[in-house]
Amino acid sequence: MSEPVQTPLTKSAAFPTRIFSGIQPSGGLTLGNYLGALKRFVEKQDEGIETVYCLVDMHAITVWQDPVKLRHQTREAAAGFIAAGIDPTRSILFNQSQVTAHAELAWIFNCIARMGWMGRMTQWKDKTAGKDAEAASLGLFAYPALMAADILAYKATHVPVGEDQKQHLELCRDIAIKFNHDYKVNFFPVVEPVIEGAATRVMSLRDGTAKMSKSDPSDQSRINLTDDADTISKKIRKAKTDMDPLPDHVEGLKDRPEAKNLVNIYAALAGHTPAQVIADYAGAQFGTFKPALADLAVAKLEPITTEMNRLMKDPAEIDRILGAGAARADALARPVLEQVYDIVGMIRSRPM
Ligand code: AQP
């Protein structure tokens, strides 16, 4: 079986290749997080690239989080990363709040980024749509500056993400360029987003035009990495679709968002292209395709869920792994931050 083609990473002469990415522990991980991010984090690690992965708990609190649940979700996300194949001895895996360089650099970037840049972010607009934007947290507005700090504290050159994060990465590039320009340095790399594979935007199972999201009020809209086999099967069998059979060309999926979503999910789980899936299922009714997809999803996700459940029985060990990862992350980020303080003209005379 052929895998969808992955584009080789573009290399910079000035900055060694380093990958950074993160996920918010703002709920349980979804199939969208898995296919759009986590699965590809593992691929990058296995390619032997230096990889830094972060559970961005400070991003999570830009909207209200129950403290007890947040701690649980952070451990659960860490378990999900490890169960999916992140090896904490090869990748650096930690939670953001344990490395204070993120918050410190974010403040400096708050002073580099412009209000207008933040106001144009579609995630900000989406998350405040139909609500009183004046009542949203300042943290939610400034979210992309913290995200830029997450990445640039490591001088990361590449960031694997889903399609929805593309605009935030463009803003990260703008911040790096403006910092370098304002201070007349070539200090920060201009990061490259790595958006590849068949499922860069996994959509809701209830609405093919909305992103599958861990904060969607409907649990039926998403597959959680904690769902058991029976729940996964039921959710896929009940997924919204139209009445037509699958087309015989991928172009036939245009204007059929729900059908396209299910085909893309199948392709990403199987490691095929959507065209290969269509070649196998041309003319099939959803009564045939959905059970095949459900079986595939269960086969791929059940081992991860089982391993997550096993790891969650030892929260102290998860905390130890996150702490060890944070110490390694801090050793990379602190010297970068100290240089930034020097560049912007701050006195650093405190005895260490
Ligand atoms: N539906 C998706 N399809 C593809 N990729 C996705 N990602 C998230 N949802 C999808 C990718 O997962 C990474 C981490 O995202 P995040 O959890 O930090 O934030 P998010 O994109 O805002 O995810 P959610 O599930 O929608 O969280 P909430 O509901 O809390 O806002 C990113 O690489 C993202 O692209």
Side-chain angles (χ1 to χ4, degrees), residues 64-175:
W64 167 252
Q65 302 292 331
D66 177 281
V68 174
K69 282 193 191 156
L70 179 61
R71 244 188 300 277
H72 175 82
Q73 286 160 193
T74 306
R75 291 187 182 120
E76 196 175 73
F81 271 61
I82 299 166
I86 296 298
D87 172 352
T89 64
R90 285 194 285 153
S91 291
I92 297 181
L93 175 64
F94 67 106
N95 59 310
Q96 186 185 27
S97 59
Q98 295 211 66
V99 180
T100 55
H102 293 240
E104 292 176 63
L105 187 56
W107 180 257
I108 290 172
F109 288 169
N110 282 345
C111 303
I112 297 284
R114 308 288 97 181
M115 297 276 284
W117 298 1
M118 301 292 175
R120 283 192 284 278
M121 294 295 107
T122 48
Q123 183 164 302
W124 160 254
K125 289 186 199 160
D126 289 350
K127 291 205 167 177
T128 52
K131 297 181 196 144
D132 178 9
E134 296 278 311
S137 75
L138 186 56
L140 188 64
F141 189 66
Y143 183 113
L146 177 58
M147 181 166 159
D150 298 338
I151 297 163
L152 295 175
Y154 302 92
K155 293 193 173 183
T157 52
H158 297 82
V159 184
V161 280
E163 189 71 43
D164 59 313
Q165 291 297 330
K166 197 172 171 193
Q167 197 189 28
H168 285 165
L169 285 177
E170 275 159 18
L171 195 135
C172 175
R173 292 163 65 96
D174 290 343
I175 288 177

Side-chain angles (χ1 to χ4, degrees), residues 22 35 40 43 54 76 79 91 99 134 163-164 166 168 211 215 233 238-239 254 303 316 320 333 350-351:
L35 293 176
R40 294 167 46 242
E43 287 162 4
C54 185
E76 196 175 73
S91 291
V99 180
E134 296 278 311
E163 189 71 43
D164 59 313
K166 197 172 171 193
H168 285 165
K211 188 183 85 159
S215 60
S233 286
K238 283 192 187 157
K254 194 171 164 282
R320 189 199 64 74
R350 204 186 72 183

